């Protein structure tokens, strides 16, 4: 158990819908990263927050957004879902940027 | 663009064999290289390497970095079925946000 929690574990929804994925980092970790992992793309960095502020953006679509709240938990919002958004979404946290990251168990999103 | 390439893509061995997994990179301003093991769910941290020639070791796993030739290897000796997993390599560059760039991984299957 890494200490990073993610909910829900599984999500099945339809195209065009909107979902919210939630992540609670390890106690004391200020940095939260979101990743998308699909079979054909590997682990792709989406976005990073550090202590409530957006720090870096990767290959994140405009339909996707995220935020980190004062208690440091983070949410990833995915809207206008497409079949191709089906993937595993991981949250990871670290004390500082670029250090050892601890990954949550992931949310498996299936878009039908 | 930063690039991390892992080889081989997949490997099938028998228990007791020794395996060597490769990770080569092309990045500007290298900071560190990370190895993760991913079984069915979240990647779990194995090693972080920052200096050339210094071997990191944990039980039957060891890893070394060559910053001149821009690669790292992960060795697993006396493999066991529990070593079956995808092994991910990630490189962090200095400056900016220190976001890890992940390779596609090596899938290792160990047969009894």
């Amino acid at each position: 158990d890494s200490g990073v929690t993610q909910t829900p574990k599984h999500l099945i929804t339809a195209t065009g819908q909107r979902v919210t994925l939630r992540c609670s980092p390890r106690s004391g970790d200020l940095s939260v990263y979101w990743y998308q992992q699909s079979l054909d793309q590997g682990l792709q960095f989406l976005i990073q927050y550090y202590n409530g502020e957006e720090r870096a953006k990767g290959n994140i679509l405009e339909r996707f957004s995220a935020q980190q709240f004062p208690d440091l938990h983070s949410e990833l919002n995915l809207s206008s879902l497409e079949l191709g958004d089906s993937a595993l979404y991981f949250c990871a946290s670290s004390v500082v940027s670029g250090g050892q990251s601890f990954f949550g168990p992931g949310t498996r999103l299936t878009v039908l | 663009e930063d690039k991390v390439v892992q080889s081989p893509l997949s490997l099938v061995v028998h228990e007791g064999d020794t395996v060597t997994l490769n990770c080569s990179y092309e990045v500007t301003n290298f900071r560190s290289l990370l190895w993760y093991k991913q079984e069915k769910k979240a990647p779990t941290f194995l090693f972080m390497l920052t200096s050339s020639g210094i071997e990191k070791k944990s039980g039957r796993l060891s890893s070394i970095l060559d910053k001149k030739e821009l690669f790292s290897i992960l060795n697993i000796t006396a493999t066991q079925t529990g070593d079956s997993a995808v092994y991910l390599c990630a490189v962090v560059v200095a400056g900016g946000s220190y976001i890890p760039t992940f390779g596609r991984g090596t899938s290792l299957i160990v047969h009894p």
Side-chain angles (χ1 to χ4, degrees):
Chain A
D1 184 358
S2 68
V4 180
T5 60
Q6 286 187 250
T7 55
K9 286 190 178 142
H10 302 277
L11 202 46
I12 301 175
T13 188
T15 54
Q17 295 298 304
R18 173 189 167 94
V19 297
T20 297
L21 313 183
R22 184 188 166 104
C23 166
S24 291
R26 287 188 329 150
S27 176
D29 286 359
L30 300 178
S31 201
V32 168
Y33 308 80
W34 285 99
Y35 292 90
Q36 179 192 59
Q37 187 176 44
S38 55
L39 281 174
D40 58 339
Q41 291 290 327
L43 200 61
Q44 298 285 314
F45 167 69
L46 295 177
I47 196 164
Q48 179 203 7
Y49 278 81
Y50 182 84
N51 202 20
E53 293 190 2
E54 182 185 301
R55 178 64 67 93
K57 259 185 172 175
N59 299 322
I60 188 166
L61 299 171
E62 283 191 16
R63 301 182 285 108
F64 296 1
S65 64
Q67 53 186 327
Q68 187 178 29
F69 295 87
D71 67 352
L72 300 178
H73 90 270
S74 178
E75 292 181 356
L76 179 67
N77 300 296
L78 315 176
S79 61
S80 303
L81 285 167
E82 301 175 1
L83 296 177
D85 297 328
S86 296
L88 257 177
Y89 289 84
F90 286 110
C91 164
S93 74
S94 65
V95 175
V96 294
S97 292
Q100 174 186 344
S101 293
F102 294 85
F103 281 77
T107 293
R108 181 169 292 283
L109 173 67
T110 303
V111 182
L112 300 175
Chain B
E1 186 182 322
D2 296 335
K3 201 165 139 184
V4 179
V5 177
Q6 292 187 246
S7 63
L9 284 178
S10 65
L11 200 46
V12 180
V13 301
H14 286 97
E15 272 193 319
D17 289 349
T18 292
V19 297
T20 298
L21 310 183
N22 303 288
C23 175
S24 64
Y25 59 92
E26 289 177 29
V27 302
T28 49
N29 213 3
F30 173 92
R31 182 172 190 257
S32 62
L33 185 144
L34 307 162
W35 283 98
Y36 287 85
K37 176 183 181 183
Q38 185 175 22
E39 295 173 85
K40 289 188 179 175
K41 289 193 174 178
T44 54
F45 173 80
L46 295 174
F47 298 113
M48 181 163 80
L49 303 154
T50 54
S51 301
S52 267
I54 298 175
E55 186 183 52
K56 292 276 181 98
K57 202 168 165 63
S58 176
R60 297 175 295 101
L61 277 67
S62 64
S63 183
I64 198 158
L65 174 68
D66 186 328
K67 287 165 77 172
K68 186 178 172 193
E69 300 297 329
L70 308 183
F71 75 92
S72 172
I73 59 171
L74 176 69
N75 278 321
I76 309 175
T77 58
T79 52
Q80 301 171 358
T81 55
D83 296 326
S84 296
V86 174
Y87 290 84
L88 297 167
C89 166
V91 172
V92 179
V93 297
S97 308
Y98 304 107
I99 302 301
T101 298
F102 281 85
R104 295 294 300 274
T106 292
S107 173
L108 173 65
I109 296 174
V110 182
H111 286 307

